[in-house]
Amino acid sequence: MKADIVTIFPDFFRGPLEYGITRRAQEMGLAAIQVHDLREFTHDRHRTVDDRPFGGGEGMVLKPEPLFECLESMGVAPREERLAGRVKQSVILLSAQGLPFTQRVAAELASLDRIVLLCGRYEGVDERVADFLADRELSIGDYVLSGGEMAAAVIVETVMRLLPGAVGNEASTQQESFTIDVKPKSSGAADSTCGSNGLLDYPHYTRPAEFRGIAVPEALMSGNHEEIRKWRRQRALEKTFRNRPDLLEGAALSAEDKKFLAGIKN
Ligand code: SAM
């Protein structure tokens, strides 16, 4: 996969792209990430990327010309081709007003050949970029950042770890919080070994078995696989019910899960 990031602060990405799985994915040749300095697509002495908003009001707005020119220099397929799904590329404008970036969106992006992330700054970006250059706007949460750089780093990391081979143990990315498309077991029941299939993850413990008088839950020490499975599934259900009850609606729940949930709701 190729990932392009367009920003007025290219140095910001020195840290985020050079650690962990993102670095590994690049070293393994699974991903090529290129950061583009928006100011290189300006034509004035001051390398101006922003201007005052028409109609008045607060702050400055990122101008459209450098963003259009930057994208045109990259050899990205035309917007009609991208929107029609004839090429596996997506141009994304980071925006607090965008559609929510979720694990499902991350999985979709990980299946593409190329993503381009446009980072806004100041009061935002000239709306013609959202309407005529980008294919979609994505938000990483209901809060306002000062720029799209942090959001781009979040998206790149989330997508990179879904590329086949990027994480040492691939099964681990299929059994995490929010993961939805895990194949059901042959019995037809929801896979209930863990917190996947739309639930939050189950709690994890490691050595020592007792720490400052706090012991690891007995079920995990039992060596009984069925007992461990049941314990993990129930804790995932409890945690999801407590912290993110909204997820239960879309989760794949077995009859056993539903019975357990009915018990804790009452
Ligand atoms: N005036 C905008 C609003 O109220 O929605 C906020 C602009 S913000 C200060 C500047 C830039 O930060 C945005 O253009 C966008 O690129 C980025 N940004 C801010 N919050 C974001 C979020 N939650 N998700 C993604 N990008 C965000």
Side-chain angles (χ1 to χ4, degrees):
M1 142 164 302
K2 191 162 172 17
D4 299 272
I5 302 172
V6 180
T7 173
I8 60 167
F9 294 128
D11 287 348
F12 172 93
F13 291 96
R14 287 227 177 123
L17 302 183
E18 287 171 14
Y19 292 93
I21 286 164
T22 308
R23 176 186 181 146
R24 195 177 129 107
Q26 293 176 91
E27 284 173 352
M28 290 172 77
L30 302 171
I33 306 173
Q34 201 177 343
V35 180
H36 305 260
D37 183 353
L38 189 62
R39 290 194 195 276
E40 285 180 10
F41 299 88
T42 56
H43 303 288
D44 65 312
R45 205 154 55 90
H46 303 289
R47 306 177 88 207
T48 311
V49 289
D50 59 326
D51 208 338
R52 288 190 302 275
F54 279 122
E58 298 305 312
M60 300 295 273
V61 176
L62 275 188
K63 291 157 67 64
E65 305 97 307
L67 283 160
F68 274 74
E69 282 188 33
C70 180
L71 197 79
E72 283 154 10
S73 77
M74 288 180 199
V76 174
R79 190 166 185 259
E80 312 79 67
E81 300 276 302
R82 304 190 311 255
L83 291 178
R86 286 194 284 273
V87 289
K88 291 169 89 177
Q89 301 182 0
S90 189
V91 176
I92 298 156
L93 175 64
L94 283 325
S95 166
Q97 303 141 37
L99 290 168
F101 176 65
T102 61
Q103 193 69 20
R104 194 185 280 274
V105 175
E108 186 219 324
L109 297 183
S111 73
L112 302 180
D113 298 331
R114 188 170 189 182
I115 57 172
V116 179
L117 300 164
L118 309 175
C119 303
R121 273 275 153 184
Y122 313 119
E123 280 310 312
V125 180
D126 185 292
E127 195 66 14
R128 286 166 287 193
V129 171
D131 291 343
F132 299 100
L133 188 67
D135 307 339
R136 57 177 121 184
E137 295 172 86
L138 286 181
S139 162
I140 63 160
D142 289 352
Y143 39 78
V144 178
L145 301 161
S146 301
E149 287 74 14
M150 209 72 93
V154 166
I155 291 178
V156 166
E157 167 138 340
T158 313
V159 171
M160 291 298 135
R161 66 197 307 281
L162 295 179
L163 297 178
V167 174
N169 175 10
E170 219 158 287
S172 73
T173 58
Q174 292 168 10
Q175 297 179 351
E176 290 178 318
S177 300
F178 314 114
T179 306
I180 331 136
D181 297 324
V182 178
K183 295 268 175 301
K185 284 198 165 156
S186 50
S187 65
D191 178 4
S192 48
T193 52
C194 65
S196 63
N197 273 318
L199 297 183
L200 298 179
D201 199 4
Y202 56 80
H204 301 267
Y205 293 87
T206 185
R207 275 184 277 264
E210 190 174 317
F211 168 70
R212 299 190 179 180
I214 312 162
V216 167
E218 239 169 72
L220 297 180
M221 312 297 283
S222 68
N224 179 329
H225 289 185
E226 176 54 16
E227 204 182 322
I228 295 170
R229 179 199 70 78
K230 211 167 162 181
W231 183 90
R232 285 181 165 166
R233 186 65 179 179
Q234 292 183 350
R235 298 298 78 72
L237 286 162
E238 266 173 6
K239 202 169 221 193
T240 309
F241 176 70
R242 194 170 65 236
N243 292 348
R244 291 293 305 276
D246 56 303
L247 294 178
L248 288 173
E249 271 177 40
L253 300 176
S254 65
E256 184 186 67
D257 294 336
K258 288 179 187 159
K259 196 169 159 205
F260 177 75
L261 277 172
I264 56 175
K265 280 177 188 167
N266 295 324

